[in-house]
Amino acid sequence: MVRVGVIGVGYWGPNLVRNLAGTDGVELVAVADRDEKKTAAVVRRFPTIRPLVEGADIIADTSVDAVVIVTSAESHYAIARQALEAGKHVLVEKPLTLDPDEGARLVELAAKRKRTLMVGHTFEYNPAVRRLREITGREDFGKILYIYSTRVNLGIFRPGINAMWNLAPHDVSIVNYITGESPMAVRAVGESFIKPGIEDVVFLYFEYPSGVAAHVHVSWLDPSKVRRVTAVGEKKMAVYDDLDSEQRLKIYDRGLESTLFEEGGITDYQVKLRAGDILSPKIANTEPLRLECAHFIDCVR
Ligand SMILES: NC(=O)c1ccc[n+]([C@@H]2O[C@H](COP(=O)([O-])OP(=O)(O)OC[C@H]3O[C@@H](n4cnc5c(N)ncnc54)[C@H](O)[C@@H]3O)[C@@H](O)[C@H]2O)c1
């Protein structure tokens, strides 16, 4: 059994608690939150879990093998560092840290201590995203030309970090996962409309080594909720709409084909539209967090 403690059971933490409780080989030992009402709610549902207050209380427990950090982004670095220094395996919610140097330091520390350090990039465990990767990787999809992702809504405004740090880790992880690459160039532009210095809307542009271009639009100042990723290939196109429970993934057998022609000494391209079937494959209903927790425990083992 891997003995696990969860730090932070605000909005998202209880989902990790529920999934860890249902993961084979996990003994959920304790949860910690500075808000005792939050830990009390967890214990009502899982009476064998010990409620604690400070994350440090879980880290100090020598019987705990692994720590899951679900606190606000600003606190991830300090808590994760403390946990790794105490020899714990760590699963930390996205974003790993708000400073790339701090992220690199954690990776180094985990390697030195021979401990697992994993970031909760939930969408890598999402069956629709996994299917999207499989389909866009096939020869009949053609080379991926570009991908764009939209993650917007009205709220939830977070006072400490901007919309990019809060939302875009999902999109970046999805695009990296689909392409199997990391971007070599990144541009990001944002605007702060609600509170100075906190960008509510951010547009990001990525260039990948293979030539794939990606665009991400995140915002918590938008009239309606959109969670959509579009991938355009040389032969087919795909749309993953997380809010469409009936047809979460659609594959369009569509494209533009150009052929070079010469007539009367003039050379030009003739562009033909190809509009074929739209296919919506069946997507398994497995909860991504369940797969993520199982993967973490596997890595720890
Ligand atoms: N993967 C996803 O889809 C997803 C979804 C939502 C949130 N998140 C991530 O989860 C993390 C938490 O988000 P949230 O919305 O649950 O935030 P939240 O503010 O609702 O909850 C955080 C909790 O941590 C507690 N806390 C903070 N520091 C602590 C410490 N040192 N010791 C004990 N308790 C402490 C707070 O009291 C609070 O209850 C963030 O990193 C966020 O990005 C991920």
Side-chain angles (χ1 to χ4, degrees):
M1 294 299 265
V2 177
R3 290 170 59 87
V4 181
V6 177
I7 303 175
V9 281
Y11 161 66
W12 191 242
N15 291 324
L16 276 143
V17 168
R18 175 174 51 78
N19 279 286
L20 284 162
T23 301
D24 282 343
V26 171
E27 188 181 342
L28 207 46
V29 183
V31 290
D33 201 297
R34 286 176 177 161
D35 180 344
E36 292 182 30
K37 285 203 283 299
K38 305 261 167 68
T39 45
V42 170
V43 172
R44 268 198 298 282
R45 188 155 173 210
F46 301 99
T48 58
I49 300 178
R50 203 151 33 101
L52 297 168
V53 178
E54 281 297 320
D57 300 336
I58 288 190
I59 293 169
D61 183 338
T62 52
S63 79
V64 168
D65 304 306
V67 164
V68 178
I69 301 168
V70 206
T71 56
S72 53
E74 308 90 291
S75 63
H76 289 177
Y77 175 67
I79 301 176
R81 196 190 62 199
Q82 216 186 337
L84 287 168
E85 278 171 350
K88 312 294 184 198
H89 300 275
V90 172
L91 167 60
V92 57
E93 255 311 328
K94 41 60 58 176
L96 172 60
T97 60
L98 297 176
D99 173 340
D101 291 338
E102 290 184 345
R105 259 179 260 150
L106 291 182
V107 170
E108 214 174 280
L109 182 57
K112 211 160 93 191
R113 296 288 166 117
K114 296 193 167 53
R115 291 295 179 267
T116 292
L117 169 66
M118 181 173 138
V119 188
H121 288 147
T122 332
F123 281 91
E124 293 180 8
Y125 302 89
N126 185 303
V129 174
R130 288 183 162 194
R131 198 70 191 270
L132 179 62
R133 179 169 82 157
E134 179 205 318
I135 287 167
T136 54
R138 284 192 207 146
E139 214 169 290
D140 65 354
F141 194 83
K143 182 184 169 320
I144 302 173
L145 301 175
Y146 74 96
I147 301 173
Y148 68 96
S149 182
T150 311
R151 191 171 302 277
V152 300
N153 200 0
L154 191 58
I156 308 169
F157 180 85
R158 297 208 177 228
I161 56 169
N162 65 24
M164 182 194 79
W165 282 111
N166 184 35
L167 300 169
H170 291 312
D171 308 286
V172 177
S173 74
I174 290 172
V175 181
N176 285 3
Y177 181 73
I178 292 174
T179 58
E181 297 182 293
S182 292
M184 57 178 191
V186 178
R187 269 167 274 172
V189 185
E191 300 292 345
S192 318
F193 296 112
I194 306 300
K195 187 177 164 191
I198 304 275
E199 289 79 3
D200 328 286
V201 52
V202 181
F203 300 94
L204 300 108
Y205 191 80
F206 301 90
E207 292 166 55
Y208 284 79
S210 63
V212 174
H215 182 265
V216 171
H217 171 200
V218 291
S219 172
W220 52 46
L221 185 61
D222 201 273
S224 49
K225 185 168 179 172
V226 181
R227 300 276 183 267
R228 195 184 303 121
V229 180
T230 302
V232 173
E234 274 176 334
K235 298 179 188 155
K236 291 190 183 178
M237 303 175 178
V239 176
Y240 156 47
D241 186 344
D242 198 48
L243 303 183
D244 186 344
S245 56
E246 282 282 300
Q247 301 183 325
R248 206 152 262 156
L249 190 57
K250 282 193 213 133
I251 315 302
Y252 295 76
D253 188 7
R254 286 185 178 172
L256 293 176
E257 282 160 10
S258 63
T259 41
L260 203 60
F261 76 95
E262 215 187 306
E263 209 175 271
I266 297 168
T267 311
D268 203 352
Y269 283 93
Q270 187 173 37
V271 180
K272 263 202 322 214
L273 188 142
R274 190 173 47 75
D277 293 339
I278 303 169
L279 178 86
S280 181
K282 182 170 162 43
I283 303 293
N285 223 357
T286 322
E287 187 173 354
L289 261 190
R290 180 60 61 96
L291 300 174
E292 182 187 307
C293 290
H295 185 201
F296 175 61
I297 297 306
D298 238 31
C299 293
V300 168
R301 286 239 174 79

